[in-house]
Amino acid sequence: MTVTVRFAPSPTGRIHIGNVRPALFNWLYAQKQGGSFILRFDDTDRERSTEEFAQSISEDLAWLGIKPDRVEKQSERFALYDAAAEKLKEAGLLYPCYETADELERRRNRARALGKPPVYDRAGLKYTDEQLEKFKEEGRTPHWRFKLPNHPEGDPFTFQRTEVHWDDVIRGRQTVDLASLSDPVLIRGDGTYLYTLPSIVDDADMGVTHVIRGEDHVANTGVQIAIFEALGAPVPFFGHHNLLTTASGEGLSKRSGALSISSLREAGYEPMAVCSLAVLTGTSHAVEPAANLEALAEMIDFTGISKSAAKFDPEDVGHLSAKIVHSLPFAEVKWRLETLGIEASEAFWNAVKENCSSIKDVTEWTPIAYGQITPVIAEEDRAFIAEAKELLPEEPWDETTWGTWTKAVKDKTGRKGKGLFMPLRQALTGLSHGPDLKSMLPLIGRQKTLDRLV
Ligand code: GLU
């Protein structure tokens, strides 16, 4: 069996780190199995879906390193859904209902008050021809429900316990009793499809072998299996993973802008920080930056995903990102610096990387080595700085120069510790913190150093 998976976002907003979790579980699984990955836009909701959001989702996935083998849009596949709906109607499994939302609400409340489960009673199957004629005359259009196979043959009004099982590749064996569920609405009154039927039709048509998605879909799966079977389509494997939540247990809505992938990218975070956090949180692995997606693929094992919520701290994106930046070799960084318009040497990168939490942070340090800064010299340090200037060694300079120079300054002035180093740092860099001056001094060079010790 060739593994085929899909990530099926609705292009109704930007994707955030919580959406990256299913995207990557699918992508990494496909990579590991030599399978294929479909990006399928769930854009049947024409009002809320936009081409811009679809575009931004594609860009975000590309930035994370996900390259779909196939991209599809449900909005271009309505003929298939119509054909499936027709097939179900002909089989008497998709039937029209005319209740208003208020009516349904009232009925549910009544059922609850009587201590009965608020399951739809299939009143739609009992309309007389006159009633149907009247609805038509009134211009009412039906919504359509799928008749769940939870009743004895030929008697849809007697609900009987009907278990549907699946071996969830993440959660283990799952059971849903179809008699505990209302017949799902597949087509709304305005003729538009809810997510359920298009998703099933596409999974079947595209040969999806594994549906890996958030556990918020567990309840749908029993129903979906019944519809796959009604359509005579093979039922895929299902896996439902825990959802990322903040430490306080809050879910991440699509509108939680700060954690959107585009904002994390613009903030300069490393894609592997985002990927590692999105995938490893709530698993048996420590949340550490993985070297690349291949390494991450080796780490994931569906049975190692915890059953409880995957709580994470958004601040960790920054922590993991900084860890990655600190370990980046110059060869990997060179072109990235160039795209930021920075021409820097390997020695410079090695000097400043520990002081960068993102690659963009190098711009804080480039003026020190390559440009102009405003030296900071306190009035009471002027004489000290003048003495230090006198003692500045001749070039050539290397990593030992700082030590030689400051030793000479210490011997001459008697200053030591912070009193010795801080005024020199402030004069040379204009700042009170920053990279090791042992490495920075040779990059600044003698002339610029003299100019700053004014
Ligand atoms: N569009 C659905 C979602 O984003 C897809 C669910 C699924 O993977 O089946 O929740």
Side-chain angles (χ1 to χ4, degrees):
M1 172 183 66
T2 309
V3 164
T4 301
V5 294
R6 85 297 194 276
F7 174 54
S10 311
T12 54
R14 298 194 181 278
I15 51 168
H16 55 66
I17 190 160
N19 306 117
V20 173
R21 193 164 169 84
L24 276 175
F25 279 143
N26 281 292
W27 167 255
L28 298 174
Y29 186 61
Q31 295 306 291
K32 209 165 150 180
Q33 301 293 323
S36 73
F37 174 98
I38 303 166
L39 169 60
R40 191 171 78 212
F41 289 111
D42 253 3
D43 59 351
T44 52
D45 181 345
R46 304 305 292 148
E47 302 248 299
R48 291 175 56 232
S49 304
T50 71
E51 186 48 41
E52 287 72 38
F53 284 134
Q55 191 59 34
S56 82
I57 292 171
S58 292
E59 283 166 16
D60 289 345
L61 295 180
W63 178 69
L64 295 165
I66 296 176
K67 304 175 203 77
D69 298 293
R70 178 173 172 188
V71 180
E72 293 288 349
K73 286 190 176 138
Q74 293 197 318
S75 57
E76 292 167 359
R77 299 171 56 83
F78 282 116
L80 283 169
Y81 315 144
D82 292 346
E86 214 39 58
K87 187 171 170 183
L88 294 175
K89 282 179 191 171
E90 274 164 22
L93 294 174
L94 191 61
Y95 62 96
C97 299
Y98 287 87
E99 293 91 349
T100 62
D102 280 350
E103 243 169 285
L104 291 171
E105 180 62 21
R106 270 199 305 278
R107 276 197 219 167
R108 278 194 295 267
N109 289 341
R110 211 176 312 136
R112 279 195 202 97
L114 293 170
K116 290 191 187 160
V119 170
Y120 179 63
D121 61 3
R122 294 190 169 135
L125 286 174
K126 290 185 183 158
Y127 297 131
T128 60
D129 288 347
E130 292 82 69
Q131 270 175 311
L132 289 170
E133 201 48 47
K134 191 159 164 280
F135 289 140
K136 230 186 217 159
E137 273 166 27
E138 288 168 0
R140 284 165 75 169
T141 52
H143 52 274
W144 295 78
R145 289 186 189 260
F146 174 72
K147 190 167 71 175
L148 288 168
N150 54 8
H151 54 87
E153 181 85 38
D155 177 10
F157 303 107
T158 302
F159 291 88
Q160 73 183 11
R161 185 170 177 88
T162 310
E163 289 185 356
V164 170
H165 305 280
W166 73 95
D167 288 314
D168 196 287
V169 297
I170 296 172
R171 298 160 63 96
R173 192 152 178 84
Q174 304 288 305
T175 301
V176 169
D177 172 16
L178 292 182
S180 68
L181 303 172
S182 292
D183 286 344
V185 175
L186 301 188
I187 305 174
R188 296 185 188 90
D190 63 3
T192 59
Y193 288 98
L194 279 98
Y195 138 85
T196 316
L197 186 64
S199 177
I200 293 164
V201 168
D202 284 345
D203 287 342
D205 182 67
M206 295 173 188
V208 170
T209 57
H210 292 72
V211 172
I212 311 297
R213 59 188 175 189
E215 63 191 8
D216 48 336
H217 286 287
V218 170
N220 295 336
T221 299
V223 164
Q224 293 188 358
I225 289 174
I227 301 176
F228 271 106
E229 286 172 348
L231 288 171
V235 178
F237 289 102
F238 286 93
H240 296 88
H241 62 77
N242 52 4
L243 302 177
L244 283 192
T245 66
T246 59
S248 55
E250 252 172 84
L252 305 173
S253 97
K254 218 173 249 179
R255 282 152 205 88
S256 62
L259 290 168
S260 75
I261 300 311
S262 33
S263 63
L264 295 174
R265 180 173 69 228
E266 274 150 34
Y269 293 118
E270 291 295 305
M272 275 315 295
V274 178
C275 292
S276 305
L277 192 59
V279 166
L280 297 177
T281 302
T283 70
S284 49
H285 290 278
V287 182
E288 287 292 334
N292 47 40
L293 289 180
E294 290 71 41
L296 206 50
E298 284 313 311
M299 288 161 86
I300 65 148
D301 164 16
F302 287 142
T303 56
I305 298 173
S306 147
K307 308 281 179 293
S308 47
K311 291 193 179 177
F312 85 113
D313 180 353
E315 300 265 315
D316 281 344
V317 184
H319 300 148
L320 295 187
S321 196
K323 260 195 197 178
I324 293 173
V325 170
H326 298 167
S327 68
L328 285 176
F330 183 64
E332 262 178 55
V333 167
K334 191 170 182 288
W335 68 270
R336 292 177 62 185
L337 291 175
E338 280 165 11
T339 56
L340 292 173
I342 301 165
E343 285 277 348
S345 68
E346 181 162 10
F348 172 77
W349 172 246
N350 288 336
V352 304
K353 65 181 176 188
E354 291 283 338
N355 290 77
C356 297
S357 12
S358 89
I359 299 248
K360 279 184 182 173
D361 291 350
V362 295
T363 54
E364 207 180 324
W365 315 118
T366 42
I368 297 172
Y370 301 116
Q372 303 289 326
I373 58 109
T374 308
V376 172
I377 302 175
E379 219 27 66
E380 66 271 22
D381 289 326
R382 289 219 169 267
F384 165 73
I385 292 292
E387 275 185 295
K389 187 173 182 176
E390 289 300 315
L391 296 167
L392 196 64
E394 290 298 328
E395 281 175 326
W397 283 4
D398 60 22
E399 294 240 328
T400 64
T401 309
W402 171 254
T404 316
W405 179 39
T406 51
K407 166 117 186 12
V409 177
K410 178 181 169 190
D411 292 345
K412 178 87 193 292
T413 63
R415 288 206 191 197
K416 53 183 191 239
K418 206 172 166 200
L420 170 68
F421 297 117
M422 189 51 86
L424 294 175
R425 174 178 288 283
Q426 289 174 335
L428 294 181
T429 69
L431 298 166
S432 308
H433 67 283
D436 201 343
L437 285 170
K438 177 175 91 167
S439 313
M440 291 303 279
L441 195 64
L443 296 166
I444 300 171
R446 192 162 196 276
Q447 190 51 56
K448 277 210 291 280
T449 304
L450 287 172
D451 294 347
R452 291 174 190 179
L453 299 171
V454 283

